[in-house]
Amino acid sequence: MFDWTLYLYGLAVTAALVMATWVVSTVKRDVSIVDSTWSLMFLAMAFTYTSPVWLNGELSARTVLLLLLVSAWALRLSIYISWRNWGEDEDRRYQAMRRKHEPGFSLKSLYLVFGLQGLLAWFISLPLLAAATGAAQPGLLDAIAVLVWLTGFGFETVADAQLAAFRARPQNRDRVMDSGLWRYSRHPNYFGECAIWWGFYLLAVAAGGWWSFPAPLLMTLLLLRVSGVTLLERDISERRPAYREYVQHTNAFIPGPRKTAPATGESGFGA
């Protein structure tokens, strides 16, 4: 059964986090901070959705599993993005948005950036609500869900580490990364993120929440067509000409074998 009360509590918690993050961004004049708090919105909602259980000390195996998986994903992603952006200028995407919407972007960002992301996170959290409130007993599908989640988490974590190591070497500044997982997918981190959310959905299905399928579908759409692959590759070939050749050799999203033999010289993705 869909629990509207818990779902609205989730919205309230997300709104509070959005407002706090927005205030900090106005002081820093940097809305990139929203990227660090994106995953924390889901962590806050996961604890909100499971609050009737853990407040009464009646934690089920699935509740514990859900909180562990969401915590591991949310904290790792938030810490990684915060570390990556530390000491850097505002992300170029947000700089472009700021130029377009000045004057008054600080106020406008409350709904253009923070409010929008808060609403998206609230909608995408449906599988977490379903997994937290479902009454079905744990079974094989829960195990499959964990396997899918682990695959995604592994891809995202390893891909981020490989890219960070590549960017740390000054000689790679203008090069394109095609080693490690990036040899088989141009966006292995996004593929991992997508798998993580389908893992959450399978956990919801195991609990009886099949109806939450629009959430992973929307996340997949965002990663492929909106804020992920499409946005990132819009102008990268102009900034890094070698990327055109990388596109010809490498799958955009789902990892797979190289299409043709790579050109001479190492290349990599450091957008």
Side-chain angles (χ1 to χ4, degrees), residues 32-238:
S32 299
I33 189 176
V34 73
D35 294 337
S36 297
T37 56
W38 163 256
S39 62
L40 300 182
M41 297 180 195
F42 295 99
L43 182 59
M45 284 185 281
F47 274 92
T48 300
Y49 297 153
T50 57
S51 59
V53 177
W54 55 260
L55 284 175
N56 293 326
E58 300 174 353
L59 288 172
S60 66
R62 184 178 291 119
T63 301
V64 172
L65 178 62
L66 175 66
L67 291 176
L68 285 175
L69 296 183
V70 176
S71 296
W73 164 75
L75 292 174
R76 188 212 71 85
L77 187 59
S78 179
I79 291 171
Y80 169 72
I81 293 176
S82 299
W83 169 80
R84 185 189 67 186
N85 293 345
W86 189 263
E88 299 290 334
D89 294 333
E90 186 176 53
D91 188 283
R92 60 186 180 83
R93 297 168 298 164
Y94 298 126
Q95 288 183 19
M97 187 179 294
R98 183 181 294 276
R99 289 191 297 268
K100 181 178 180 181
H101 293 283
E102 289 287 15
F105 178 70
S106 291
L107 179 59
K108 294 175 183 177
S109 67
L110 177 58
Y111 58 88
L112 288 174
V113 179
F114 294 92
L116 175 60
Q117 292 211 20
L119 287 174
L120 286 172
W122 182 53
F123 181 80
I124 293 170
S125 74
L126 281 174
L128 308 185
L129 176 67
T133 58
Q137 292 298 311
L140 178 60
L141 192 53
D142 292 271
I144 296 174
V146 172
L147 182 61
V148 172
W149 184 93
L150 285 172
T151 300
F153 188 76
F155 260 89
E156 187 173 48
T157 302
V158 172
D160 283 343
Q162 289 175 341
L163 183 57
F166 180 87
R167 285 173 165 172
R169 297 193 290 270
Q171 64 268 30
N172 292 332
R173 179 175 177 80
D174 295 319
R175 305 176 78 178
V176 180
M177 165 136 187
D178 65 354
S179 59
L181 294 178
W182 301 84
R183 179 177 179 83
Y184 307 103
S185 168
R186 302 201 300 274
H187 304 277
N189 51 345
Y190 291 158
F191 170 77
E193 180 77 0
C194 186
I196 285 172
W197 278 98
W198 282 103
F200 283 139
Y201 174 65
L202 290 177
L203 199 64
V205 174
W210 61 268
W211 43 264
S212 61
F213 68 88
L217 286 177
L218 176 58
M219 176 60 83
T220 303
L221 177 66
L222 291 174
L223 290 170
L224 285 174
R225 299 298 181 188
V226 182
S227 60
V229 174
T230 299
L231 178 63
L232 198 57
E233 294 196 340
R234 183 174 298 167
D235 63 349
I236 193 171
S237 293
E238 298 176 5

